[in-house]
Amino acid sequence: GAVVSQHPSRVICKSGTSVKIECRSLDFQATTMFWYRQFPKKSLMLMATSNEGSKATYEQGVEKDKFLINHASLTLSTLTVTSAHPEDSSFYICSAPLGPTPEQYFGPGTRLTVT
Amino acid sequence: AQSVTQPDIHITVSEGASLELRCNYSYGATPYLFWYVQSPGQGLQLLLKYFSGDTLVQGIKGFEAEFKRSQSSFNLRKPSVHWSDAAEYFCAVARNNAGNMLTFGGGTRLMVKP
C-alpha cells in the first residue's frame, strides 16, 4: 500500500529555535498533504492543508507565521515550527490522500519536545 | 459543521471477549467514514472505511463496522479481542465530497485484560 514517511521521528530543541519536519509520499504523488497536531491522550487536530505549488490553507486559530508549511514538490511537504516554545511540544502527524478519494495515508508522526 | 463523537473514552475487555466501539457523526450529506488504530507513539493505521454500498464493511485484523444511517452511527466490532488489539481507536469522517480533510472523534482507548 501507499507509504508516507516523516523525518525526524523525534526531535528535541531549545526554546527560540526553529525545527523543520518533513513529510514524504514514498510511492505516489500528493498534490495535497495534511498536517495534524496531537496532544497527549487527545485526538488529532487538523492544522493546515498543504498544497503543492501554492500557499497552505490554515485552520482557524493556527498561526501561519509560526507554523510555516512548504509543499515544494509532489512528494514532499515540510512543516517548520519557528521560534519554538515549550507549549509547541506535541506529536505532529502528516497525511496524504492517494488520488481524489477521501482515504488518507498517515505518516508515523514526529515527537517534538521544546526545552 | 460536521462532528464525530466517540462516547467511550476508555474501554477494558477481557482477551477473547467481543468488542464494540461506538461512533456517532453529525453531517448533512452522505458521509465517508473511517476507523483508524494508533499504537503508542505511532501514526495511524486504517482499519476499514465506508464510502457506499453494503453497510457492513470488513476490515483488517478481524474488525468490521456497520453504517446505520438512521442512527448516524458507524460502530466498530470484533468478535474476539486479542491482547495486541490494545491501542487507541479513532473514528473519522471526511469533511466533504470535494476535499479530503478528515474530522476525527476524540478516540477510545482499548485495554485488554489477560
Side-chain angles (χ1 to χ4, degrees), chain A residues 34 38 43 97 101-104 108, chain B residues 36 38 43 46 49 100-101 105:
Chain A
F34 300 95
Q38 186 179 30
S43 188
T101 72
E103 183 174 349
Q104 295 182 28
Chain B
Y36 288 89
Q38 184 182 35
L46 179 68
K49 63 192 177 193
N100 295 319
M101 290 172 284

Side-chain angles (χ1 to χ4, degrees), chain B:
Chain B
Q2 64 188 39
S3 64
V4 182
T5 302
Q6 293 179 244
D8 304 304
I9 298 175
H10 294 98
I11 283 186
T12 300
V13 300
S14 297
E15 190 168 17
S18 63
L19 170 71
E20 182 170 35
L21 303 183
R22 295 183 291 165
C23 173
N24 292 97
Y25 66 90
S26 171
Y27 186 55
T30 301
Y32 295 110
L33 296 158
F34 305 84
W35 274 99
Y36 288 89
V37 61
Q38 184 182 35
S39 297
Q42 303 296 314
L44 276 70
Q45 181 182 26
L46 179 68
L47 286 175
L48 46 77
K49 63 192 177 193
Y50 172 78
F51 287 0
S52 65
D54 192 346
T55 56
L56 182 64
V57 293
Q58 303 296 320
I60 62 171
K61 304 184 179 184
F63 286 93
E64 66 177 27
E66 186 171 11
F67 169 55
K68 294 185 176 180
R69 185 186 301 275
S70 61
Q71 299 178 18
S72 298
S73 69
F74 188 56
N75 294 349
L76 181 71
R77 301 193 293 251
K78 186 169 184 176
S80 177
V81 170
H82 188 262
W83 65 266
S84 60
D85 293 324
E88 187 88 20
Y89 291 81
F90 293 98
C91 180
V93 173
R95 185 170 287 191
N96 58 57
N97 292 350
N100 295 319
M101 290 172 284
L102 295 177
T103 298
F104 284 87
T108 298
R109 180 166 297 278
L110 172 65
M111 290 171 280
V112 180
K113 294 189 299 185

Side-chain angles (χ1 to χ4, degrees), chain A residues 15-114:
Chain A
S15 187
T17 62
S18 295
V19 174
K20 180 184 288 187
I21 303 170
E22 294 184 348
C23 177
R24 293 182 184 273
S25 56
L26 295 185
D27 51 1
F28 66 102
Q29 294 182 332
T31 57
T32 301
M33 292 183 177
F34 300 95
W35 287 97
Y36 297 84
R37 182 172 180 176
Q38 186 179 30
F39 291 100
K41 302 185 187 302
K42 298 293 185 183
S43 188
L44 281 74
M45 179 191 76
L46 179 65
M47 298 175 65
T49 303
S50 175
N51 304 298
E52 190 269 335
S54 63
K55 291 183 179 180
T57 305
Y58 289 83
E59 295 299 299
Q60 190 172 9
V62 177
E63 300 175 61
K64 62 180 66 176
D65 293 332
K66 180 164 191 62
F67 298 100
L68 299 179
I69 291 173
N70 182 30
H71 198 140
S73 76
L74 288 171
T75 59
L76 174 63
S77 174
T78 59
L79 168 68
T80 301
V81 183
T82 63
S83 186
H85 289 93
E87 56 265 32
D88 299 324
S89 299
S90 194
F91 194 55
Y92 293 88
I93 303 176
C94 71
S95 72
L98 180 62
T101 72
E103 183 174 349
Q104 295 182 28
Y105 293 87
F106 286 81
T110 296
R111 172 75 59 194
L112 171 63
T113 303
V114 184

